[in-house]
Amino acid sequence: MQEINQYLADTLRQLRHDRSWSLDRAASECGVSKAMLGQIERGESSPTVATLWKIASGFDTSLSSFLEPAPAELRGVTLRSADALRQRPTADAMLMAPLFPFDARYGFELFEFTLLPGYERLSEPHSQSVVEHVVVVRGVMELLVRGVWQRLGEGEAVRFAADQPHGYRNPTSAPAVFHDLIHYPPGSDSQSR
């Protein structure tokens, strides 16, 4: 956890530096308090996924850019293991595996998320034109899109515009696992990274 917090702190500090933003300006752009941003930069706080998304949206960058660098390729092939990557990088009761962190060549990032029983997260809109593709791998979950909770079972998939409020929840007593491919529009800072 300490390694993740340090990577997040370094990335946030570098993004602010690259844009010549003060903590006040970053707080205003992200909708996150100056105190919280300062704590994150000092490695003193592990934000929730919702807070991390606010920061990513404020900087117009990908969520995965705060979790780890792009993985190494060997002759055009990248091998990843969800079991090796699965972690709880935020204060949420949700496990994340950044299977393929954002890469501007492809315009997307791919996560495996595990929602523990009873977990619910409401997400504020992401940057304009961000699209999510959710595929349930194991269990049952519910996805909030356009104000309606939709029940999704194993093998079911949904694509939706994520620049609107949405949410994820697990109303069951067993973990729910899903893949989430998040596509960023060409021209965003995410695409230029």
Side-chain angles (χ1 to χ4, degrees):
M1 187 66 156
Q2 183 61 31
E3 187 176 309
I4 294 167
N5 282 349
Q6 188 59 53
Y7 185 81
L8 171 56
D10 294 344
T11 302
L12 179 56
R13 195 175 310 107
Q14 187 63 50
L15 282 169
R16 274 199 326 105
H17 179 265
D18 291 348
R19 288 167 174 76
S20 299
W21 285 4
S22 65
L23 273 175
D24 284 326
R25 170 81 188 269
S28 174
E29 294 289 334
C30 298
V32 175
S33 74
K34 176 180 170 181
M36 173 59 79
L37 291 175
Q39 289 173 355
I40 293 169
E41 279 195 14
R42 292 188 302 275
E44 298 171 355
S45 177
S46 178
T48 64
V49 171
T51 299
L52 200 51
W53 260 118
K54 282 182 170 184
I55 295 168
S57 294
F59 280 96
D60 195 24
T61 193
S62 66
L63 176 64
S64 62
S65 66
F66 290 102
L67 302 176
E68 67 174 61
E73 285 189 10
L74 180 60
R75 294 188 300 254
V77 175
T78 306
L79 297 173
R80 307 279 281 170
S81 165
D83 289 340
L85 297 166
R86 198 172 295 115
Q87 57 191 319
R88 186 177 289 165
T90 65
D92 293 73
M94 177 173 67
L95 303 175
M96 301 172 70
L99 294 172
F100 293 103
F102 181 79
D103 186 321
R105 293 174 296 172
Y106 307 114
F108 72 86
E109 60 193 351
L110 176 64
F111 290 95
E112 177 205 77
F113 289 113
T114 302
L115 305 180
L116 300 178
Y119 178 81
E120 180 176 313
R121 183 172 73 82
L122 300 176
S123 180
E124 293 185 18
H126 303 320
S127 299
Q128 187 173 0
S129 300
V130 170
V131 177
E132 291 192 34
H133 306 76
V134 170
V135 182
V136 180
V137 177
R138 187 171 59 249
V140 174
M141 65 175 283
E142 293 180 348
L143 181 67
L144 178 66
V145 178
R146 297 188 183 270
V148 177
W149 285 101
Q150 300 176 36
R151 190 171 180 90
L152 300 172
E154 205 166 296
E156 293 186 302
V158 174
R159 175 175 51 210
F160 64 95
D163 56 2
Q164 59 187 303
H166 54 283
Y168 317 86
R169 70 182 178 195
N170 179 356
T172 73
S173 60
V177 180
F178 68 98
H179 288 167
D180 192 355
L181 185 144
I182 304 169
H183 183 266
Y184 295 87
S188 68
D189 278 359
S190 298
Q191 288 286 23
S192 62
R193 295 191 117 242

